[in-house]
Amino acid sequence: MTSKKEWIAMLLAGGQGSRLYTLTRKIAKPAVPFGGKYRIIDFPLSNCVNSGIDTVGVLTQYQPLQLNEYIGNGQPWDLDRLSGGAFVLPPFQRSAGSDWYTGTANAIWQNSGFIERYDPKYVVILSGDHIYKMDYGKMLAFHKEKGSVATIAVLEVPMEEAPRFGIMNTNPDLSVYQFEEKPACPKSNLASMGIYIFDWPVLRRYLEADDADPNSSKDFGKNIIPAMLAAGEKMYAYPFDGYWKDVGTIDSLWEANMDLLNPAVPLDLYDPSWKIYSRNPVMPPHYVAPGAMVQNSMVTEGSEIWGTVDFSVIFAGVTVERGAVVRDSIIMPGAVIHSGAQVEYSIVAERADIGAGAVVGSRPEDMDDKDKWGVTVIGDCVRIGPGVTVEPKSMVDRDIRGV
Amino acid sequence: MNVTDYKMMGVIFSNMHDDSMGDLTELRTVGSIPYGGRYRLIDFTLSNMVNSGITDVGVITKLNYQSLLDHLGAGRAWDLSRKRGGLVILPPFSRTVAGGAAGIYRGSIEALAGRLDYLRSVDARYVCLSDCDVITNLDFKDVLARHVETGADITVLYANMEMRPASRDLAALETGPDSRVLDVTLNPREGGSMKVYLNMVVLNRELLIKLVESCYTHGEYSFTQDVLQKRLRDFHICGYEVRDFCVRVSDMQSYFAANMALLNPEARAQLFPPERPVFTKVRDEVPAKYGLKAQVENSLVADGCVIDGRVENSVVGRGVRIGRGAVVKNSILMQGTIVGEGADLNYVVTDKNVVVRTGRALCGYTTIPVYLQKGFSV
């Protein structure tokens, strides 16, 4: 038995993120690059360590190679500890048979042995697909103060968007009396952020009971929370008022990156007391050449900018050649935009190569039919030949020969 | 030959040439002088050693080495935080001929004499000695291969450089057709193109221990003067030419030039080849952010910067802020410098955390850049 911890975190990072299409063809969603030098999972991991959580189980299943390598021993997040630290937890075989993680609750249940090793009072359940900065310590204080056994972080969303979320209906003291998954007529606009704190002994009971139920879909939102409410467990909604974004779709991923360029968006990455840690690239500072123009953009070390970059997020080791134009786009690590190419409203994935004079995506204002407009995505390592035009809203996952 | 027969260890002298650097080393060692926006000078020789397969590196310090310790830590950033070997910081012991206070050694031989215990403790056949004043990217395995091939006792590294007359702290080599070193001259009066000794050598470890013992008992302390010059005829000393990008920092003027050299794409390609990365301490900075009116040309910009003004021909270190309407030209801004709105800098070197307030103007010249010391506020 290892030492007892007051709380530990379990990070659900096994999802495929199928709505990111080609971006998650070879990597799990939490490993998708974000914000110039991060991957999505850096946000919950950094939140954990900044909140004082020193033990994090990362549950992986879909395409785990890159995620495993990225997390490694947890050192970049200061999670290489003598007792505890970061652990990658894939499904494993046991004497009574083995199974993939069949749902979020099942994934935690299958790892109850891991949790028991630390005998924690509280378990924080997180997901690996949200961009936000949050002090889980404050949430735990709230949980204790209310005498809650299950606390769910909630965000006020516009009422018209509420039907897209899991909605918590609360009493004035923030105790939850009802949970509704994507209600057609929402009674409240408090959306679940997918962040839970449970009293572990209580959660353990419900997970065990849920596991025995063959009709359950083994999901926190669909099964565990309703079961706890039905049994009258004390459940509270913890209101969060900072920036939070689910980056599960191409559009939301693009928007969340662009939010970093907007001074009005309350997500301050420059706060030294709440740094977002990541595995840093080993590259020289980026270079901006004579004649280049860079405005309203983020640029990461190792890049070489010879062309024009406007309203874009440029990751490490990107080359934008002379005469190339990148606007309103996200260019992921190692991609090359050759001379004269034009990339607009696009996500260009890792090590993709956009040939000279190619035209990728377009601005909505340049479209005759606005309905055909959308963010264009070029998959990782895809080569777009010289002079090729890639229509807006396309999703390119194989090479296109030049003209 | 067995792989272990080629095993090499490294010894780095962090404080050699401290005196010639002036203000830059007032509060730090030569090894911890910031360079190229995100590096310290020691990163280059340390990364070269690591990329050459060296896993035992001792760093001999002297004075003012707090910043060096902060930077190196346990050596993790260079993958030198090991159970077997790895990075060892060697603060000097008081065992000088002069009998002075701890650490007041006069040259590398005397420094090594104080730390022979380390040299004796590592099981490596060869030693690579290096100061921190030279910036280049090379594979010491190639040097060792040549060393073995020529049968030299000592292989010294040099580069052809254009030097000013009466350059200080400089040793020039004369080599024969078989690359054998024929003469070593110190601080030559004449300027011009010369084979400049890079303060890096490769030799057999046992030989080094013997040399240190011999010099020490004869009251000698300098590797350049007492080994390379005095014992030139006693040993087979060969030169190894570094042909790729290679610059030497010996004073403010050369420091300025060495930074500006990085604005050349060819120089960067040679100094930062992807297969031999230059490691440095991780600071977890955010990517640099360019504002609505930013205008940047021919400049290197590190992570963590927020740029709203104009920058030309400059090297901008980590976390520098440049306000709206500010103009920065031909300057080196070290980590954390803040340039206020409308300020105007030309040929300026700001040390760490300098603040140039709104509207201030400073102008130097390429040979005499204006230098603002650490934490200074204008």
Side-chain angles (χ1 to χ4, degrees):
Chain A
M1 186 64 81
T2 44
S3 65
K4 182 174 169 62
K5 304 271 181 194
E6 186 187 20
W7 58 336
I8 69 169
M10 299 294 277
L11 209 167
L12 299 161
Q16 177 183 357
S18 54
R19 287 172 304 156
L20 290 176
Y21 305 98
T22 181
L23 293 178
T24 50
R25 199 167 39 131
K26 291 183 213 150
I27 55 176
K29 179 156 68 166
V32 169
F34 179 83
K37 70 184 292 192
Y38 308 100
R39 293 185 186 267
I40 295 169
I41 197 168
D42 288 331
F43 286 80
L45 279 179
S46 300
N47 285 337
C48 281
V49 75
N50 287 332
S51 301
I53 300 176
D54 64 9
T55 302
V56 184
V58 180
L59 287 77
T60 62
Q61 175 159 290
Y62 173 79
Q63 289 284 17
L65 286 183
Q66 203 169 344
L67 197 55
N68 290 355
E69 181 186 293
Y70 188 69
I71 293 167
N73 67 349
Q75 190 274 333
W77 303 271
D78 216 5
L79 285 170
D80 53 335
R81 302 295 176 97
L82 282 181
S83 157
F87 295 88
V88 174
L89 303 171
F92 57 93
Q93 201 173 22
R94 56 202 88 211
S95 54
S98 56
D99 206 349
W100 294 105
Y101 296 149
T102 51
T104 50
N106 174 261
I108 301 295
W109 173 243
Q110 285 203 37
N111 284 288
S112 54
F114 169 81
I115 299 171
E116 302 272 277
R117 290 176 65 79
Y118 298 98
D119 188 21
K121 241 173 136 170
Y122 310 102
V123 172
V124 186
I125 310 286
L126 304 167
S127 59
D129 41 13
H130 301 147
I131 301 298
Y132 64 109
K133 296 198 325 185
M134 180 174 176
D135 187 345
Y136 306 134
K138 287 185 182 158
M139 183 169 166
L140 181 65
F142 174 92
H143 179 87
K144 290 179 184 169
E145 184 195 311
K146 294 285 185 187
S148 177
V149 298
T151 301
I152 298 153
V154 294
L155 188 76
E156 276 191 56
V157 295
M159 210 60 186
E160 62 271 20
E161 283 184 32
R164 296 200 294 117
F165 293 92
I167 295 296
M168 296 289 157
N169 296 321
T170 58
N171 300 309
D173 69 344
L174 292 169
S175 59
V176 178
Y177 66 87
Q178 191 185 23
F179 171 75
E180 290 183 290
E181 184 73 44
K182 299 184 178 149
C185 309
K187 298 190 197 71
S188 123
N189 65 341
L190 296 179
S192 166
M193 297 164 65
I195 300 163
Y196 310 96
I197 294 182
F198 292 101
D199 283 9
W200 169 242
V202 179
L203 177 63
R204 194 185 191 289
R205 257 192 357 252
Y206 281 89
L207 289 175
E208 193 168 9
D210 184 64
D211 186 59
D213 177 0
N215 297 320
S216 164
S217 47
K218 316 281 193 264
D219 184 84
F220 274 97
K222 291 195 188 97
N223 308 104
I224 303 294
I225 301 297
M228 287 180 124
L229 277 174
E233 299 286 359
K234 283 184 84 177
M235 186 178 293
Y236 282 84
Y238 172 73
F240 177 73
D241 59 0
Y243 178 90
W244 177 86
K245 194 141 199 156
D246 182 331
V247 286
T249 64
I250 293 294
D251 285 351
S252 63
L253 179 66
W254 182 86
E255 280 168 25
N257 273 281
M258 290 302 147
D259 281 346
L260 296 175
L261 305 177
N262 183 352
V265 167
L267 180 68
D268 179 15
L269 299 183
Y270 292 82
D271 175 4
S273 69
W274 205 273
K275 274 192 179 182
I276 303 302
Y277 300 100
S278 66
R279 209 169 266 281
N280 280 243
V282 182
M283 289 182 176
H286 71 266
Y287 176 70
V288 183
M293 206 190 72
V294 184
Q295 290 189 335
N296 322 306
S297 295
M298 279 175 108
V299 184
T300 311
E301 290 179 336
S303 289
E304 299 257 332
I305 312 294
W306 296 77
T308 297
V309 173
D310 199 9
F311 278 107
S312 295
V313 176
I314 309 290
F315 285 70
V318 166
T319 303
V320 178
E321 290 187 357
R322 199 177 290 284
V325 176
V326 175
R327 280 200 197 97
D328 305 287
S329 293
I330 297 154
I331 314 293
M332 292 184 179
V336 179
I337 316 296
H338 289 281
S339 63
Q342 180 184 311
V343 177
E344 290 179 321
Y345 284 89
S346 297
I347 298 176
V348 176
E350 291 178 69
R351 294 184 302 283
D353 186 286
I354 310 297
V359 177
V360 175
S362 91
R363 304 197 228 196
E365 53 265 41
D366 295 340
M367 297 288 289
D368 298 329
D369 183 356
K370 294 269 186 294
D371 291 340
K372 286 190 179 153
W373 181 83
V375 173
T376 309
V377 180
I378 308 295
D380 63 309
C381 299
V382 168
R383 302 177 73 87
I384 302 297
V388 169
T389 297
V390 178
E391 293 297 325
K393 215 174 178 172
S394 342
M395 192 81 60
V396 184
D397 58 8
R398 58 190 63 185
D399 296 358
I400 301 179
R401 287 258 200 92
V403 286
Chain B
M1 238 202 239
N2 200 315
V3 177
T4 52
D5 291 340
Y6 285 109
K7 192 175 170 192
M8 198 165 24
M9 64 183 287
V11 176
I12 297 175
F13 301 92
S14 62
N15 292 64
M16 288 296 160
H17 322 288
D18 271 359
D19 299 339
S20 62
M21 302 287 182
D23 297 327
L24 287 169
T25 48
E26 184 157 312
L27 297 167
R28 56 168 77 92
T29 68
V30 168
S32 40
I33 293 177
Y35 173 76
R38 74 190 290 260
Y39 302 99
R40 305 286 184 135
L41 289 186
I42 197 171
D43 292 339
F44 294 89
T45 199
L46 199 49
S47 299
N48 285 339
M49 287 183 180
V50 168
N51 290 330
S52 308
I54 296 177
T55 54
D56 291 270
V57 181
V59 177
I60 300 192
T61 64
K62 190 176 189 180
L63 300 166
N64 292 341
Y65 52 87
Q66 181 60 50
S67 61
L68 188 77
L69 295 184
D70 279 352
H71 182 67
L72 295 177
R76 168 176 284 285
W78 298 266
D79 207 13
L80 285 175
S81 174
R82 303 285 185 93
K83 286 205 165 177
R84 297 175 57 144
L87 181 75
V88 183
I89 311 248
L90 304 167
F93 282 160
S94 164
R95 194 194 157 191
T96 61
V97 175
I104 312 305
Y105 54 76
R106 294 167 294 176
S108 45
I109 289 286
E110 204 162 78
L112 286 167
R115 297 317 306 249
L116 272 179
D117 56 328
Y118 177 67
L119 272 186
R120 289 202 178 100
S121 71
V122 180
D123 175 28
R125 184 156 174 177
Y126 298 98
V127 187
C128 172
L129 302 177
S130 174
D131 295 350
C132 297
D133 61 329
V134 169
I135 299 147
T136 188
N137 193 317
L138 61 88
D139 192 337
F140 284 116
K141 285 201 299 290
D142 296 343
V143 182
L144 181 59
R146 179 77 67 76
H147 179 78
V148 172
E149 185 191 311
T150 57
D153 296 310
I154 303 172
T155 297
V156 298
L157 285 79
Y158 71 89
N160 273 301
M161 291 184 184
E162 199 64 37
M163 301 306 299
R164 279 172 279 134
S167 292
R168 287 183 305 169
D169 206 8
L170 172 79
L173 309 180
E174 194 190 311
T175 56
D178 54 354
S179 76
R180 186 163 180 149
V181 177
L182 304 176
D183 196 15
V184 179
T185 47
L186 275 178
N187 301 332
R189 192 103 49 86
E190 311 270 303
S193 177
M194 58 186 77
K195 291 172 176 168
V196 175
Y197 170 47
L198 300 177
N199 301 312
M200 296 181 200
V201 302
V202 167
L203 73 169
N204 183 291
R205 184 176 61 101
E206 299 289 343
L207 173 63
L208 178 63
I209 292 172
K210 279 193 202 123
L211 279 169
V212 171
E213 282 171 338
S214 159
C215 287
Y216 183 68
T217 49
H218 289 90
E220 297 162 327
Y221 54 83
S222 158
F223 194 85
T224 312
Q225 287 167 47
D226 300 316
V227 176
L228 296 185
Q229 284 191 317
K230 267 194 207 163
R231 289 168 169 80
L232 185 62
R233 309 277 165 244
D234 304 344
F235 293 103
H236 181 185
I237 301 180
C238 274
Y240 178 97
E241 186 183 355
V242 176
R243 290 197 174 86
D244 277 346
F245 177 82
C246 180
V247 291
R248 189 173 157 270
V249 173
S250 57
D251 52 19
M252 186 59 79
Q253 191 181 339
S254 55
Y255 174 76
F256 187 79
N259 274 280
M260 289 302 158
L262 291 181
L263 299 179
N264 179 337
E266 183 55 27
R268 283 200 306 283
Q270 291 181 10
L271 189 57
F272 303 110
E275 68 278 16
R276 289 200 305 268
V278 182
F279 302 99
T280 188
K281 183 183 174 187
V282 170
R283 280 184 47 89
D284 292 294
E285 294 277 9
V286 186
K289 201 164 172 179
Y290 291 80
L292 217 55
K293 292 269 162 40
Q295 212 183 326
V296 177
E297 286 193 61
N298 194 34
S299 296
L300 275 178
V301 182
D303 276 358
C305 293
V306 180
I307 298 181
D308 290 308
R310 211 168 121 197
V311 182
E312 271 175 43
N313 312 325
S314 295
V315 176
V316 184
R318 286 170 168 178
V320 168
R321 312 267 162 138
I322 298 175
R324 259 186 220 130
V327 180
V328 176
K329 286 184 185 171
N330 310 305
S331 293
I332 298 161
L333 309 182
M334 292 187 206
Q335 185 183 314
T337 295
I338 296 173
V339 181
E341 291 185 14
D344 190 342
L345 307 183
N346 195 6
Y347 293 107
V348 174
V349 176
T350 62
D351 210 310
K352 282 175 70 177
N353 304 323
V354 161
V355 179
V356 180
R357 294 194 199 287
T358 304
R360 304 287 194 276
L362 291 164
C363 184
Y365 187 65
T366 174
T367 47
I368 314 175
V370 175
Y371 170 81
L372 301 174
Q373 70 195 75
K374 189 173 171 180
F376 203 76
S377 190
V378 181

